[in-house]
Each structure stands twice: as C-alpha cells, then as structure tokens.
Amino acid sequence: MGTLKLLQGNEACAEGALYAGCTFFAGYPITPSTEVAEYMSRRLPQIGGAFLQMEDEIAAMAAVIGGSLAGAKTLTATSGPGFSLKQENLGFGMLCEVPCVVIDVMRGGPSTGVPTGPSQSDIMQCRWGTHGDHPVICLTPGYVQEIFSETVRAFNLAEKYRTPVIVAFDEIVGHMREKIEIPDKGVIPIENRRRPTCSPAEYKPFDETKGDVPPVADFFSGYRQHITGLNHASDGFPVNASPRIHTDELRLMRKVEANKKDIIRYEEYLLEDAEVAVFAYGVSGRSGKNAVEQARAAGIKAGLFRPLTIWPFPEEEVAALAARVKAIVVPELSLGQIIYEVERCAKGKCKVVGIYRVDGDPINPTQILDKIKEVK
Amino acid sequence: MSERYEIRFSGSGGQGLILAGVIFAEAATIFDKINAVQSQSYGPEARGGASKSEVIISDKVIDFPKAQAIDLQLSLTQESCSKYYKDIKPDGTLLVDEDFVREIPKGTFKVIKMPIIRTASEEIGKAFVANIVAIGAITALTGKVRLESVEKAVLSRVPKGTEEMNKKALRAGYDMAKARMN
C-alpha cells in the first residue's frame, strides 16, 4: 500500500516526476502550470536535486536539455504561450536525442488567451510545433492518478527512446484535486537510458550500429560528446551529405513509429457492442465517460475511446473502431483539431462529428449525450 | 448517500474559498474515505472578481468534475451570488453571508442567512477565518462529512500557530448552522 493523498493534478505531476527519478527542474512560471514548478522548488532541494527559475521559457528548455546531457532526468512545465517559446529547443532536443519531459498544461489561446481557462488547443502544436520531420511522444492523462502514472511513463519513454516526451493536459485536470495513491518505490518499474559499455576511445554518441536508440554517455564522464542541431554523423559532428542525413532522419522517426505498440496506450470503455463511439481525452474524456453511461441508461449502445497516448496517434485502433461503429463523436476544447486525425483514420467508414467549446468551460456530458442521440 | 452531492463555495478572490473546498474534499477523501473531487474557477486577477471552488462527493467514481446541479451553494459576496445561483437545484440550499448578500435571488431553493464574516471578525477576531466559519456551517448543513474529519483537514492545511483560532472558527460556524437548523 502506497501513500494516499489529496493532490492537484499539477502536484501529482511533480510527484510522478520525483518517483521517476527526476532531479532537475528548470522553468518559468505560467498559469495554469505554476504549481508543478512550486512543488518541485520545495521538493528538489530536499532530495539533493536542483531547481532553477530561468529568465524565460526558451532558456528553461535549454537548461533542461543541458541537465539531461549531464546525466540527470529533467523536467520543465509550461502552458501555451511558454510552450510556443520552447518549440525551437524542443526540436533541438529531438534531433540531438535528449531524454527530457515537457509538461504543457493547456489554457485558452492563441497568445496570452485565457490564462485560467481550460483548453485542448495545443494538441496539434504538440505534434507539429517545432519544424522539420520529427518523432513525437505525447501523453494525455485525464485523472489526477493518471497524471502521476503518465508522468512516470513519460520519463520512462524519454529514457528508453532517448527523446523529449510531452505530457499535455488541460487546466481543469491540472488544477482539480482528487485522491491518489502514490505507490511505494519499486512498484512502477523505472527505465534508465542506455549508457555506453565500450571504452571512451570507441564511443560515438549517435552510433546507429548499436541500434535505433544508441547508448549515450553523460557529459563530463570521460566520453567525448559533441552535440549540434545540425544533422550529424555518428560522432556527433555536422554532416551535409547523402545518404547519412536521410538514413539518420529515418532512424529518428523509426524509434517511435516502430515501437507504437509499446508507446500507445488508451482506455476502451463499453466499446464491444457500441454503435456510437466517443473519442475524447483529458477533461473531455471524463465528460465523455459520463455521457456514455447516461446513453447506456437510455438504451443507446455508446462507448468511449480515451487515448492516453495522443502522439503517435492510435491510427490502427481508430481505423478498426470506424469500421464497426456508425459514428464517432469527438468533443474537444478547441474549434476542431484532433478530429482531423480521427477523420484521417476513419477514412469515411463512419460519420465523424465534432463538439467544440472555447469559452473557458468544459464540454458537459449533456452536450455529448445530445450529439450521441443525434447521430445514433 | 445519494449518488452525487455538489457543493459550491463562492465569493471574492482572496477570501480563501479554494482552500475551503480543498479542506472539505480532504476531509471527505482522506479522513472519511469517500469519493470527492475539488475543482476551481477564477479570473486572472489575484484579488477581487467572482471566485468559486466546487466539491463533488459521491459513492461512485466521479468522472465529470464540475458542478451542474448544486445541492448547496455558499456565497460570501453579492456578485458571486448573483453570478452563480442559477445552477442551484430547485430543492437545493443557498447559504449566504447576511451582511454582504442583501439581494436574495428568486428561486424555490432554501435560503439560509448567517453573519459568517462578522462572526469571524468579531467572535474569532480575524476576518480571514471566515472561510473556516463557512466550512463549519457547511459541515452541519450537509451532514456528509464528520466534524472530526473536517477539523483534522483544517489543521493539516492552516499555518502553524493558527490552529486554535481555526478550531474555534470551525466550531462557531458549525454551532451557528445547527442553531439555524433546529
């Protein structure tokens, strides 16, 4: 039995990071993510870790990359406007294969938008916010307990696949409090990045012959490192030649694409015989579950598909779902973003209808129930 | 217990209503082992404006975390009362601070008036414990959570050195509500 606590989503996120072994946080406070930083600023010094408030979000992302290259598990937390600022360095982290975790507690946008209101309108920015072809792992928990466990999983995936991982949730689940159980140490397995076993003379930081996720040494550990945002050769130094750029880009994407089974996680609720499916995550997933229960009580065969991994997108699962239901309802706190992915995967096999809301309130179960009745 | 019981704490930013919700939810979940979620809504300003905090208590898992049909609403200011009363159930309860909420909205819900802030400032000596006085009253009015549990939750969340004052405030609110109920 672990420890029971009443925690805010943001606090549970910080607890998850600590459980996973995070010892370094760098950030710049922004509503509605600030409690993650506050919590880490209290806890990290107690465990010998370090907390840095940087001059802005750009610097915070850079510090998190630097901390990770020195061997630490690192975290930053932000919201829309700050997440926009982090994008260039996030791409740097992806190309340079730096494990780290970025929390985006979504609020209304664009720009400064609605600081204290919930949103899900950064979800495409999570996928395409930084330029160039790049792999993305993005997790979307909807309950406080899940924010804890998915933050642990985010660190594990970052270490295993040597890449930044994003955890995106909305202001409501970030700020709401629920009872959670923090498991005892060792209950959830913790991954650590593969480090070189060869001699420093033989070591190359991007040695593709060692597999799609090459081992990485810590800075200052005696192994020669070279990190650059230019496409690079196995030794880390810039390369501007075919076929290396092409093959290395493919390897970068393959790290995630070939391991989708390991990365993609979701909840299926009452979908076995469903005629109408709701596809929703975060607070909208919570409303969706309530709506599905109300629909079932009214004799309508409805079910819920609630992705915990939004990127890579659960393409095969949504395609299979579309082949067996009449319609998929997609409630989201934006004017329509993730619905395009659902439509892409449904390939016209069923109706796909959205419910959008951007006024600072969540989509309530009644709105979803009405739509389920309309499309059944 | 009925399946879902919704409480809203409303007033002005800075009155400690979010903390009030947190304390009540902690009493329910950690000390009384029943399901509860606490959520909040506030504007970008640090003080002032209408602020609310909601606690939902249920014997089932709580998926939708926001109040929709309120069983009990506390309003410490006129602005928050006028802005939020529409979600109160027809047979619900509206608890107001009688000095600050003078215009009672029309409805079939029950209205209970109490000098919450005056009790805090005159009887306890500090206006800022009004939120704890209110928790005491709500504990009595709802009967959903044990007073001992609420007291434990209060003591785990208030600053050191203020324990006795807060215990007194909780008891004052509880007793005042009990007197109104009889």
Side-chain angles (χ1 to χ4, degrees):
Chain A
M1 190 66 177
T3 315
L4 291 178
K5 284 186 176 184
L6 179 78
L7 286 187
Q8 205 179 46
N10 285 343
E11 295 169 336
C13 174
E15 282 287 356
L18 294 165
Y19 189 94
C22 173
T23 55
F24 179 72
F25 180 101
Y28 187 80
I30 180 169
T31 301
S33 76
T34 305
E35 295 84 2
V36 181
E38 277 179 352
Y39 207 86
M40 294 304 272
S41 74
R42 278 199 304 274
R43 290 291 310 275
L44 281 172
Q46 295 170 349
I47 59 158
F51 175 92
L52 270 184
Q53 179 168 324
M54 300 301 290
E55 69 268 34
D56 61 30
E57 287 89 344
I58 301 171
M61 190 68 221
V64 157
I65 288 171
S68 176
L69 288 170
K73 291 187 181 179
T74 64
L75 176 73
T76 188
T78 190
S79 185
F83 192 53
S84 293
L85 289 172
K86 290 186 192 296
Q87 293 303 326
E88 185 183 6
N89 277 336
L90 191 56
F92 180 89
M94 286 160 180
L95 185 73
C96 297
E97 301 179 67
V98 183
C100 57
V101 175
V102 179
I103 308 296
D104 178 23
V105 189
M106 295 183 279
R107 69 190 220 183
S111 190
T112 334
V114 191
T116 56
S119 175
Q120 299 180 309
S121 59
D122 298 353
I123 209 67
M124 282 295 175
Q125 191 186 19
C126 290
R127 180 64 191 91
W128 294 114
T130 196
H131 62 278
D133 293 310
H134 53 274
V136 173
I137 299 175
C138 176
L139 313 181
T140 48
Y143 293 76
V144 174
Q145 184 78 51
E146 256 175 26
I147 292 179
F148 173 85
S149 55
E150 289 301 286
T151 302
V152 175
R153 192 162 78 96
F155 274 95
N156 282 346
L157 292 171
E159 293 288 315
K160 192 171 179 182
Y161 296 109
R162 200 181 155 184
T163 188
V165 173
I166 302 162
V167 185
F169 47 90
D170 51 88
E171 180 272 338
I172 293 178
V173 291
H175 274 161
M176 67 180 282
R177 288 175 177 83
E178 285 178 304
K179 181 168 67 180
I180 79 159
E181 183 190 331
I182 298 173
D184 293 332
K185 219 174 161 186
V187 173
I188 304 178
I190 300 301
E191 296 270 351
N192 290 299
R193 68 193 73 169
R194 194 150 70 107
R195 291 182 165 88
T197 49
C198 63
S199 71
E202 294 163 311
Y203 173 69
K204 292 174 184 170
F206 301 96
D207 187 355
E208 72 285 357
T209 65
K210 298 276 184 345
D212 282 350
V213 188
V216 57
D218 302 342
F219 263 77
F220 320 117
S221 65
Y223 288 81
R224 187 176 183 182
Q225 290 286 53
H226 193 273
I227 301 291
T228 171
L230 293 166
N231 280 77
H232 36 257
S234 308
D235 60 4
F237 284 87
V239 71
N240 202 8
S242 179
R244 170 74 193 185
I245 299 169
H246 184 71
T247 55
D248 213 43
E249 275 287 317
L250 289 182
R251 178 182 63 81
L252 213 55
M253 299 299 284
R254 199 165 57 230
K255 284 200 301 189
V256 170
E257 289 298 315
N259 292 292
K260 284 204 287 197
K261 284 272 178 284
D262 181 45
I263 298 167
I264 291 176
R265 206 181 267 185
Y266 49 86
E267 183 197 9
E268 285 183 297
Y269 182 65
L270 304 177
L271 278 177
E272 303 78 19
D273 62 341
E275 290 170 358
V276 180
V278 175
F279 179 99
Y281 61 94
V283 71
S284 304
R286 299 180 69 122
S287 302
K289 198 170 218 178
N290 191 305
V292 160
E293 283 172 356
Q294 289 187 52
R296 287 274 169 178
I300 302 166
K301 287 181 178 166
L304 173 73
F305 187 99
R306 192 170 65 86
L308 290 171
T309 308
I310 202 82
W311 307 115
F313 193 74
E315 292 171 338
E316 288 166 27
E317 292 80 0
V318 172
L321 186 63
R324 64 177 208 262
V325 295
K326 283 186 203 161
I328 302 177
V329 175
V330 187
E332 50 179 326
L333 295 176
S334 69
L335 292 176
Q337 295 194 11
I338 207 65
I339 191 170
Y340 292 119
E341 283 296 300
V342 178
E343 281 175 347
R344 179 175 69 81
C345 298
K347 293 191 171 71
K349 285 187 180 140
C350 73
K351 266 191 289 189
V352 178
V353 289
I355 305 172
Y356 312 128
R357 188 159 190 177
V358 291
D359 64 353
D361 279 319
I363 293 167
N364 59 51
T366 317
Q367 282 179 277
I368 302 173
L369 181 64
D370 288 347
K371 192 62 83 178
I372 291 172
K373 286 177 177 167
E374 193 184 305
V375 299
K376 77 171 168 67
Chain B
M1 194 200 315
S2 65
E3 273 192 6
R4 192 178 167 102
Y5 191 90
E6 302 187 351
I7 306 168
R8 176 180 286 165
F9 300 76
S10 74
S12 172
Q15 285 183 320
L17 294 158
I18 290 176
L19 179 63
V22 173
I23 288 172
F24 206 77
E26 189 154 77
T29 54
I30 303 298
F31 298 110
D32 270 2
K33 317 269 182 223
I34 50 182
N35 288 325
V37 304
Q38 180 271 338
S39 68
Q40 56 209 296
S41 159
Y42 59 100
E45 59 282 84
R47 295 285 179 274
S51 148
K52 65 178 159 123
S53 168
E54 295 168 347
V55 175
I56 294 163
I57 297 176
S58 178
D59 50 9
K60 289 173 64 181
V61 173
I62 300 158
D63 289 310
F64 189 62
K66 294 280 184 178
Q68 294 176 289
I70 291 171
D71 292 280
L72 185 138
Q73 173 167 316
L74 162 76
S75 292
L76 291 182
T77 63
Q78 186 67 53
E79 186 190 355
S80 64
C81 182
S82 306
K83 189 170 174 186
Y84 299 132
Y85 81 93
K86 290 192 184 74
D87 301 326
I88 304 172
K89 275 182 181 172
D91 61 345
T93 303
L94 172 63
L95 167 65
V96 299
D97 186 290
E98 63 185 38
D99 297 325
F100 291 90
V101 182
R102 295 300 175 92
E103 288 169 38
I104 302 294
K106 286 195 172 51
T108 58
F109 45 79
K110 187 168 154 192
V111 178
I112 298 175
K113 300 176 191 177
M114 287 185 199
I116 294 168
I117 295 170
R118 183 150 39 92
T119 301
S121 54
E122 292 177 8
E123 201 175 310
I124 315 297
K126 296 283 181 197
F128 64 73
V129 295
N131 58 343
I132 307 297
V133 175
I135 295 173
I138 289 169
T139 304
L141 293 172
T142 60
K144 295 288 174 193
V145 181
R146 292 179 302 140
L147 181 63
E148 307 90 86
S149 302
V150 178
E151 190 178 283
K152 279 185 204 159
V154 169
L155 296 180
S156 76
R157 292 274 177 177
V158 298
K160 284 216 173 7
T162 66
E163 291 92 344
E164 280 312 308
M165 182 172 63
N166 278 293
K167 270 163 83 170
K168 230 173 114 184
L170 182 71
R171 194 78 220 187
Y174 186 85
D175 291 342
M176 187 161 53
K178 278 284 180 200
R180 292 286 197 291
M181 288 161 75
N182 293 331

